[in-house]
Amino acid sequence: MTLNDLGAVIEWSRDEVFCRANGWPVGRTADMITEHWRGILLHPAQDFLRLGVEAGGRLVGFADLAHIRDGRASLGIAIGDRRLWGQGVGIGAARLMLAQAFDGLGLRSVRAEVHETNLFSLALIRGLGFRPAGAAPEPDMYEGAPVQILHFALDAARFGGAT
């Protein structure tokens, strides 16, 4: 992703459902979004990788690998265009990011966290072959309600690749 992608990010930030689903504050100004994302894009943490997700030649979301260390990382996917939720865009992006994690970076394991009521994300994670790995000790606020966070893990040997 580049600074040229900020227009799409600002559009996503105007969608309250997207913001609540992804833990973004609702009602941030374009200047606030720009300042936040400039830091992410221009000065990424050494243990973090964010790649844009495109569909139909336009940016529709992003995929992250965070906390990359000791052969492990955490996966995150956000599809900003809600019309594409449940259409396979997220799982395709996740497969490519996992290929980068395992084949490109040589990681041994990738973790993911999903709110138990986020049915699209649960289907995506399970469809990729992630296995349950416990739950957070405390619920988290998700879409305005306290919700259990489920933990999942996928080892390199179980990953089927980007095909």
Side-chain angles (χ1 to χ4, degrees):
M1 294 183 70
T2 70
L3 293 177
N4 292 332
D5 296 320
L6 286 173
V9 176
I10 290 167
E11 282 300 312
W12 305 336
S13 74
R14 293 181 179 139
D15 181 342
E16 289 185 29
V17 173
F18 170 83
C19 288
R20 286 193 310 271
N22 286 281
W24 290 19
V26 174
R28 290 189 297 173
T29 66
D31 287 342
M32 293 167 74
I33 299 290
T34 298
E35 180 180 337
H36 175 76
W37 276 70
R38 281 182 64 84
I40 291 171
L41 296 174
L42 296 178
H43 308 288
Q46 290 183 340
D47 67 345
F48 181 77
L49 174 64
R50 173 165 286 168
L51 299 176
V53 174
E54 293 184 351
R58 65 186 180 89
L59 184 75
V60 297
F62 58 91
D64 294 340
L65 288 174
H67 314 294
I68 304 168
R69 59 181 161 270
D70 301 324
R72 299 173 14 165
S74 296
L75 175 70
I77 301 287
I79 303 301
D81 183 342
R82 275 194 296 133
R83 295 172 297 183
L84 298 175
W85 288 8
Q87 303 299 311
V89 174
I91 199 163
R95 279 191 185 106
L96 291 171
M97 186 57 104
L98 289 168
Q100 176 65 20
F102 295 130
D103 301 332
L105 300 176
L107 300 181
R108 295 183 313 277
S109 178
V110 173
R111 301 173 304 273
E113 294 182 347
V114 180
H115 291 93
E116 70 179 345
T117 57
N118 185 337
L119 302 182
F120 286 129
S121 290
L122 283 173
L124 181 147
I125 290 299
R126 289 176 176 143
L128 290 165
F130 278 78
R131 294 196 175 189
E138 301 285 330
D140 183 49
M141 291 303 289
Y142 177 72
E143 295 187 331
V147 174
Q148 185 65 54
I149 297 175
L150 305 177
H151 295 215
F152 294 87
L154 178 64
D155 294 330
R158 283 190 44 85
F159 177 61
T163 57

